[in-house]
Every structure is written in structure tokens, then in C-alpha cells.
Amino acid sequence: NPIPIRNDPEFKKYFKMLKVGMPIDTVRQALERDGKDPAIADFDPDKSYASQAKEEEGTAEDVPLKDDPNYKKFFKMLTMGIPEGAVRQALQKEGKDPDVATMDPNKSYASQAKPKVEDGPPLKDDPEYVKFFKMLKMMIPEGAVRQAIQKEGKDVSILEMDPNKSYASQKSTQKEVGPPLKD
């Protein structure tokens, strides 16, 4: 006979927090802090963990982004009027896909994420460009690095690209910048 989750020694304290009237978001935060699934706060306290964990399995893929604990705060940032660029930067800082900022918050990440296409090493590790990123790391001024790239006849736009993505994946999305070329 499985024990109710509210009496389970592993989860007891979280259900006690709810019982004494703590906000559910505080309980979710405590669960997350302790390395547990924050969705446990929504479980029925009278059912066992095992019975509810099985129900939950497989649904993480179907959670709308606005409700997904991994992305919720970024959509809140957008609704508060924080510019999309800042939200993209925050996503990237946390190692998440910056394209989430432009995705439909009512659909799951899995349904919208583009499959990763292997199109070469990250730009910073690409043998064609690795030395230029080393120059930047050594605090050589960007202008000097730009000149070195031009001198070798390479694409200067790499300086505006994400060094953690491949050149090929970014070149196709790069817009032409500058004055039109003369015929």
C-alpha cells in the first residue's frame, strides 16, 4: 500500500509548507532549490509520489513555454516590457536557446525548437577563425583583429556572430550590411 506523498519523508516538508499557507511559488522554489521537480507542489497530497510521477511522465514536452519552469521568467520579462534583445541575452547567459524569446508562449519548446543541424565546429573552434578569437581573448583591440581578418581575406562579419555556433549555421541568417556595391 503506497504512502500518500504528504506523509512521504522525502516530500513531507513541502506539503507542510503548503498546509500552513505558504504560497505555492515559494514551495516550488524550495523544491527546485533542493533539486526536486517543482511540479511536485501541484501533486495530490493524498496520492503516492509513484502514482503521480507516472502521470506526469512524458508531459514535460507538452508544457507551454509560458508555464515551463525553465522559461517562465523569460516570458514574464517580455510581458513587463523588457526588450527582446535583453531577454535573448538573459537566455543565452543561462545557457538556454535565445530563440525562445520569439517563440509562441502557448506552445511547448519541443514543438517549436529547430533540430540542431551539424554544420561544423563552433566558430571559436573553427580552424579558419580560431586565431582571431584567441586575439580577442588576448585583449587585442577589435579594430586590429578586424584588420587581420580582412588581410587574410576572411569574413569580417564573424565578429558579430555567436562564437558558440558554427559559421555555416550563422552565415545563412546573416544580413548584408553596408552600402550597396557599385556595378
Side-chain angles (χ1 to χ4, degrees), residues 24-36:
I24 196 160
D25 285 336
T26 304
V27 177
R28 284 190 189 117
Q29 219 170 14
L31 281 157
E32 211 165 7
R33 178 198 63 217
D34 296 343
K36 295 178 181 10

Side-chain angles (χ1 to χ4, degrees), residues 96-165:
K96 295 180 180 6
D97 182 356
D99 292 335
V100 166
T102 57
M103 290 181 181
D104 182 347
N106 297 310
K107 294 181 181 173
S108 70
Y109 177 77
S111 71
Q112 299 180 75
K114 295 178 187 115
K116 299 246 180 202
V117 178
E118 192 52 50
D119 44 17
L123 202 49
K124 65 180 180 178
D125 300 328
D126 189 322
E128 292 282 315
Y129 299 102
V130 71
K131 70 178 172 185
F132 305 115
F133 287 98
K134 280 185 182 170
M135 290 169 74
L136 289 169
K137 214 174 197 176
M138 291 168 44
M139 306 301 260
I140 294 175
E142 188 179 312
V145 176
R146 188 175 295 275
Q147 217 170 13
I149 294 169
Q150 282 176 327
K151 187 177 175 187
E152 289 195 23
K154 305 251 188 265
D155 186 357
V156 181
S157 70
I158 65 152
L159 295 174
E160 281 79 46
M161 292 181 186
D162 182 347
N164 297 311
K165 293 183 180 173

Side-chain angles (χ1 to χ4, degrees), residues 36-76:
K36 295 178 181 10
D37 182 1
I40 291 169
D42 301 309
F43 282 9
D44 182 341
D46 296 317
K47 290 184 181 177
S48 72
Y49 172 76
S51 71
Q52 296 180 77
K54 287 178 188 157
E55 290 173 21
E56 285 287 306
E57 235 171 70
T59 59
E61 302 271 315
D62 304 329
V63 174
L65 279 170
K66 65 179 178 165
D67 299 328
D68 187 325
N70 294 315
Y71 300 107
K72 192 184 219 174
K73 71 178 179 183
F74 301 106
F75 284 98
K76 186 170 185 169

